Amino acid sequence: MTEVHNFGVDAISCHAWNRDKTEVAICANNNEIQVHQRTSSSWKLLETLEEHHMAVMGIDWAPKTNRIVTCSADKNAYVWTQKEDGKWDPAWVLLRINRAATCVKWSPLENKFAVGSGGRIIAVCYFVSENNWWLCKHIKRPLRSTVTTVDWHPDNKVLVAGSTDYKVRVFSAFISDMEDAPGTSSWGQSNALGTLLAEFPNTPHGGGWIHSVVFSPCGNKICWVSHNSSICVADATKGNAVVRLYTEHLPFLSCIWIGSSNIVAAGHSCMPMLYSVDDNGQIYFVSKLDNTQKKEIAGLSAMRKFQSLDRQARNETNDNALDSVHQNTINCIRRVSDHEFSTSSLDGQLVIWDLKVTRLAFRLFIIINIINY
């Protein structure tokens, strides 16, 4: 089962949900962020956030503190706080970067966030109450190119980043000014911000720059997708062993964990794909999660096309439409619940997918086709 939502925009570059999923912030592939509220029948535009003057590259919504952080190609980041009248008040963040801010992510405790940039820098930002402003500290080495994606370990003190130098790196993100001694994680520990805890090259077979990287819910595994159409998982409990699966699909741009062993990835193929990691750490393809494909609906699409041509001497089908819900690249995936996730695309649609219902429908489809065969 899918819910397809349109907001009257031509494209969506990224989106983020509030805590109870009644509101969503989207970027219409420009310098504005729209905040929409779900109504009984559709969506209501609450406010347009217009502080950035170049394309917004990333959005994240902190569920507990109800703060939105945004970053942009204008080299700036803003933390948006909702006032009593419902309006959003921006607070400028001093990033001290000289290239575009490319991605942003709140930490699990929501007391800091990380911003990747085109200047080979990760800015770890935190609030200084004495001065009433957001300050940042930089992670620079050994980054050699644009940081495209970041994610936080559940312990709030370890950070993973992917970049266009074909590498995934795990860093200490401990800030002594505001935190107690760092806890012990499976990736190691350090009391110095920016200490490199692990590094994974993505170059055994030609490589590819990293598009998305995420920690598993337990924090022991990392999954990333790259431009060489591969999906990889590194496991800290197995000596940082890396398992790679080279797929036949177009490159993925985003991925998330659903539970401890399922991964959803999507990108240029315009539909989400489900992968699973078995007990031995191997990755295998499960299914495409888009059950609307015209070519797979009981095998009747071609028959109906010829029947239409025979009876009316015209073709009623649209050959320009893709055989999927999304009609363009999926560039953002967000977790909605334990079994739901959402995707946004350059076709201007936001789709909510129910993994339980989708997998059940897929099994029924296989059974029906076996019986018919």
Side-chain angles (χ1 to χ4, degrees), residues 2 21 31 52 58 65 71 129 156 162 171 215 233 249 274 355-356 359 367-368:
T2 58
K21 309 304 184 290
N31 66 321
H52 291 290
T65 56
C71 69
S129 57
N156 205 69
F171 295 100
F215 276 108
V233 173
H249 308 295
L274 179 64
L355 191 58
K356 286 185 177 179
R359 294 189 69 177
I367 294 171
I368 291 171

Side-chain angles (χ1 to χ4, degrees), residues 86-205:
K87 298 295 182 180
W88 290 90
D89 184 38
W92 179 62
V93 182
L94 183 62
L95 293 179
R96 296 184 290 114
I97 58 176
N98 58 7
R99 295 291 187 273
T102 54
C103 53
V104 64
K105 186 79 172 182
W106 282 107
S107 68
L109 295 181
E110 302 175 12
N111 58 351
K112 54 186 177 180
F113 58 89
V115 180
S117 77
R120 300 179 295 177
I121 289 174
I122 301 172
V124 180
C125 308
Y126 60 100
F127 190 71
V128 181
S129 57
E130 292 82 0
N131 299 322
N132 194 31
W133 69 342
W134 290 88
L135 188 65
C136 77
K137 293 188 176 182
H138 287 171
I139 299 175
K140 297 181 179 180
R141 297 179 181 178
L143 297 168
R144 299 178 183 274
S145 190
T146 298
V147 177
T148 54
T149 174
V150 293
D151 193 36
W152 287 89
H153 189 276
D155 73 355
N156 205 69
K157 298 170 184 177
V158 173
L159 184 72
V160 65
S163 61
T164 56
D165 61 5
Y166 302 172
K167 290 186 178 181
V168 170
R169 298 179 176 91
V170 181
F171 295 100
S172 168
F174 171 72
I175 297 179
S176 57
D177 295 350
M178 57 168 293
E179 297 178 293
D180 297 330
T184 302
S185 76
S186 54
W187 300 97
Q189 70 177 53
S190 172
N191 57 3
L193 175 72
T195 300
L196 183 65
L197 303 178
E199 182 176 271
F200 304 102
N202 199 54
T203 55
H205 299 285

Side-chain angles (χ1 to χ4, degrees), residues 290-316:
D290 195 333
N291 294 318
T292 64
Q293 299 177 77
K294 294 180 291 185
K295 294 178 181 178
E296 296 180 0
I297 302 177
L300 296 178
S301 294
M303 181 183 297
R304 288 171 180 164
K305 179 176 180 179
F306 283 109
Q307 287 175 343
S308 175
L309 287 170
D310 182 48
R311 290 195 304 265
Q312 302 178 16
R314 64 188 178 89
N315 184 6
E316 295 179 347

Side-chain angles (χ1 to χ4, degrees), residues 173-297:
F174 171 72
I175 297 179
S176 57
D177 295 350
M178 57 168 293
E179 297 178 293
D180 297 330
T184 302
S185 76
S186 54
W187 300 97
Q189 70 177 53
S190 172
N191 57 3
L193 175 72
T195 300
L196 183 65
L197 303 178
E199 182 176 271
F200 304 102
N202 199 54
T203 55
H205 299 285
W209 56 84
I210 312 301
H211 287 302
S212 179
V213 61
V214 285
F215 276 108
S216 62
C218 66
N220 293 333
K221 298 176 183 178
I222 296 171
C223 173
W224 69 86
V225 292
S226 60
H227 204 67
N228 63 348
S229 298
S230 67
I231 180 169
C232 306
V233 173
D235 192 337
T237 64
K238 297 181 179 180
N240 292 355
V242 179
V243 177
R244 292 179 170 86
L245 177 65
Y246 296 92
T247 75
E248 61 181 5
H249 308 295
L250 294 175
F252 299 123
L253 297 182
S254 186
C255 63
I256 60 167
W257 289 86
I258 300 291
S260 59
S261 59
N262 293 319
I263 300 166
V264 176
H268 290 291
S269 292
C270 306
M271 62 181 67
M273 314 285 182
L274 179 64
Y275 292 85
S276 189
V277 182
D278 62 22
D279 294 336
N280 297 321
Q282 298 300 309
I283 310 169
Y284 62 92
F285 175 72
V286 178
S287 67
K288 297 178 180 179
L289 297 179
D290 195 333
N291 294 318
T292 64
Q293 299 177 77
K294 294 180 291 185
K295 294 178 181 178
E296 296 180 0
I297 302 177

Side-chain angles (χ1 to χ4, degrees), residues 29-58:
N29 207 29
N30 55 23
N31 66 321
E32 298 178 351
I33 302 101
Q34 297 181 4
V35 180
H36 294 262
Q37 183 180 55
R38 187 194 291 265
T39 65
S40 58
S41 58
S42 60
W43 293 87
K44 176 184 177 182
L45 177 61
L46 295 179
E47 191 171 354
T48 301
L49 313 181
E50 301 177 308
E51 202 69 23
H52 291 290
H53 61 269
M54 294 183 72
V56 173
M57 305 296 289

